[in-house]
Amino acid sequence: MKYFALLFALFFINFKQKTDKLIGRYSYLIEDNNSYIQKDKITFKDSVFVFDNKYMPKGKISYGNAILLENFINTSLVITIPKNQIEKDTIEFYMHDKNSSSANYLDEVTGKGRLIKIK
C-alpha cells in the first residue's frame, strides 16, 4: 500500500509541473501604430524555433531570466520574452537591435509584439 501511495504521488506531481520552455505553434504579430499585424506563424520546439515561411532560418532559444530568440534573417534582431509570460496563451515580446548605440542592447526596446497560441 505504501508503494501504491508513493507511485500515485509521483504520478500526480509529474502532471502538475509547470513547463519553463516554449513549446507549440503561435501566430507572430508585430505592433505598428497601436495595431497588430500578423507576420507569420512560428513553431517552438525545446531550444529552436521555425517560421512557416520556408525562407526563414531556424532560430535558437536561450533560456535564462528572460527568454531570448535569435538567428532571424536580420541577424541584429533579438526578441526577449519575460519568463512569466510562458504560461499564457498570448505572450508579449520585445524586440532589440544588437547594433544599438546603447551599452547593453537589451536595455533599448526597438519594437514589440505578441505571440498568440494556435490551438
Side-chain angles (χ1 to χ4, degrees):
M1 189 66 179
K2 286 190 275 186
Y3 296 112
F4 179 71
L6 180 62
L7 183 64
F8 182 73
L10 290 174
F11 184 74
F12 185 71
I13 289 170
N14 235 0
F15 280 112
K16 289 294 183 180
Q17 287 179 341
K18 294 179 184 177
T19 180
D20 60 347
K21 304 232 180 217
L22 278 170
I23 299 172
R25 194 157 183 249
Y26 291 83
S27 292
Y28 176 69
L29 295 96
I30 295 178
E31 185 181 277
D32 185 28
N33 295 327
N34 294 327
S35 63
Y36 288 92
I37 300 167
Q38 181 172 342
K39 292 294 186 179
D40 206 348
K41 292 186 170 73
I42 186 171
T43 303
F44 294 98
K45 294 180 184 175
D46 198 24
S47 62
V48 296
F49 64 91
V50 180
F51 284 93
D52 283 0
N53 181 346
K54 306 231 184 298
Y55 301 107
M56 296 287 281
K58 280 187 180 180
K60 63 180 181 174
I61 304 171
S62 303
Y63 295 98
N65 293 338
I67 299 161
L68 298 175
L69 306 179
E70 299 179 85
N71 198 21
F72 295 91
I73 286 181
N74 178 0
T75 56
S76 66
L77 176 66
V78 174
I79 290 179
T80 58
I81 300 171
K83 194 95 166 165
N84 65 350
Q85 293 284 316
I86 283 184
E87 299 166 3
K88 300 178 181 177
D89 286 340
T90 301
I91 298 172
E92 300 279 334
F93 66 83
Y94 302 97
M95 295 183 283
H96 309 276
D97 187 3
K98 284 184 182 179
N99 300 330
S100 167
S101 60
S102 67
N104 183 2
Y105 64 88
L106 293 176
D107 289 339
E108 186 177 328
V109 175
T110 59
K112 65 181 187 175
R114 289 186 177 167
L115 296 170
I116 299 176
K117 187 159 191 123
I118 301 171
K119 295 184 179 184

